[in-house]
Amino acid sequence: QRRIVAELERQFSCLDEAVTSLKRVRANLKRYKAAVLSAAVEGRLVRTDVELARHDGQILETGEQLLRRLLEKRKSLWKGKGKYAEPCPPDTAELPPLPDGWTYATAEQLTDPNRTISYGVIKLGPPVDGGVPVLRSSDVRNLRIDLQGIKTIAPSIAAEYRRTFLEGGEVIITVRGTLGGIAVAPITCKGFNVSREIAMLAMVEPELAYAVAQFIAAPPIQRWLMTRTKGIAYTGINIETLRALPLPVPPLHEQRRICAETERLLSLGAALDLEIESNIRRAQRFREVSLEHAFLGSL
């Protein structure tokens, strides 16, 4: 028995060390993801268009030119009542400098004026079979949406919040409950609505959504938001804060390269995280098997 106990202690000690190492690697993966997103939003992830232009002489649209074009398009899209109201520019007094060819814009400047930044259904009511699917804060994770267990509500309730019905391609962000969730709504979410816990940002240029989502998920932008949360027992982000949220605007071609590289690097991290989770489960199973063998006298 002493030998069995000693052998179990030896094996479990090795397992504990291995699991501790795996969890340490997992913690480092979180820092890796944060570092990737920080590099993306600060213009350090890929060579800028300005740098490339200096090398090969290619002239491309700058971020400032892109913003001017977006603001013109935004104004031309206006179909509301009354005179079109120009969105306020960002307050850049306390913002860090940007790479050459980039500029700042508020989230409001980048969104469709006919689908203003807003949150969704306040009272969802009981689940309804065959009803309208609604995204809640628990469904929106960091740069992804979990479509398992989506709640469906009465169409009559959802219809009261027509402005937040999704078409696919919107940036959605958690503003109540668990903060930090940010993702682009896939086309499979067309016809969904969102809850009061979620704010919807419909981009004036749909292609902007992926860079905007990555930038908002980055630690520098998250810190800006977290310092402006409201409430004590139940904190949240109000719509006025979101509208004023300052976001970097790189040239569109550069945004594509940033998004592609970010996706590549984050996919590598996600694959490693799955492997770590598998090994942790394997270690737990090995522990159980060892106990079974000890009980049967075959250790």
Side-chain angles (χ1 to χ4, degrees), residues 23-256:
K23 290 181 177 179
R24 189 180 302 117
V25 173
R26 171 169 279 178
N28 287 335
L29 277 178
K30 291 182 179 179
R31 287 191 281 271
Y32 164 82
K33 183 175 183 178
V36 169
L37 292 171
S38 291
V41 78
E42 293 168 0
R44 297 182 288 108
L45 194 63
V46 300
R47 294 182 67 185
T48 66
D49 275 8
V50 169
E51 291 173 333
L52 293 176
R54 287 173 184 157
H55 182 266
D56 57 24
Q58 187 178 13
I59 300 175
L60 297 171
E61 180 183 53
T62 66
E64 188 173 337
Q65 291 169 334
L66 170 61
L67 178 58
R68 285 201 297 267
R69 179 165 62 82
L70 293 173
L71 291 174
E72 290 172 3
K73 180 177 179 179
R74 188 181 194 276
K75 187 173 184 178
S76 70
L77 291 174
W78 173 244
K79 298 178 181 177
K81 296 179 180 179
K83 185 179 179 181
Y84 172 76
E86 294 285 352
C88 292
D91 179 1
T92 60
E94 299 179 5
L95 298 177
L98 292 172
D100 289 345
W102 291 34
T103 192
Y104 277 112
T106 61
E108 185 178 27
Q109 286 180 309
L110 302 179
T111 53
D112 187 332
N114 303 302
R115 302 178 70 198
T116 58
I117 299 174
S118 54
Y119 52 74
V121 184
I122 296 176
K123 294 183 179 180
L124 301 180
V128 174
D129 290 339
V132 176
V134 173
L135 294 177
R136 297 166 291 173
S137 63
S138 57
D139 305 316
V140 183
R141 310 297 176 84
N142 193 264
L143 295 178
R144 68 182 181 89
I145 296 174
D146 186 355
L147 293 177
Q148 300 296 320
I150 297 293
K151 183 174 183 176
T152 53
I153 66 172
S156 58
I157 294 177
E160 296 177 12
Y161 299 83
R162 292 189 179 277
R163 64 183 179 180
T164 52
F165 269 103
L166 300 178
E167 296 178 2
E170 298 88 353
V171 176
I172 50 179
I173 178 172
T174 55
V175 294
R176 291 289 185 277
T178 304
L179 302 179
I182 173 73
V184 177
I187 192 64
T188 51
C189 287
K190 184 175 183 178
F192 283 35
N193 210 320
V194 298
S195 73
R196 170 65 178 84
E197 304 163 342
I198 303 292
M200 180 206 72
L201 289 72
M203 298 292 105
V204 66
E205 183 69 54
E207 190 177 356
L208 297 172
Y210 297 96
V212 166
Q214 290 179 2
F215 289 173
I216 296 177
I221 304 298
Q222 283 295 302
R223 284 193 293 270
W224 190 95
L225 284 171
M226 292 305 109
T227 59
R228 291 162 175 80
T229 56
K230 305 295 182 181
I232 299 176
Y234 193 60
T235 59
I237 302 167
N238 63 35
I239 295 302
E240 289 72 25
T241 298
L242 274 184
R243 289 173 180 160
L245 175 64
L247 292 169
V249 181
L252 194 56
H253 185 266
E254 191 173 334
Q255 289 185 37
R256 295 174 188 137

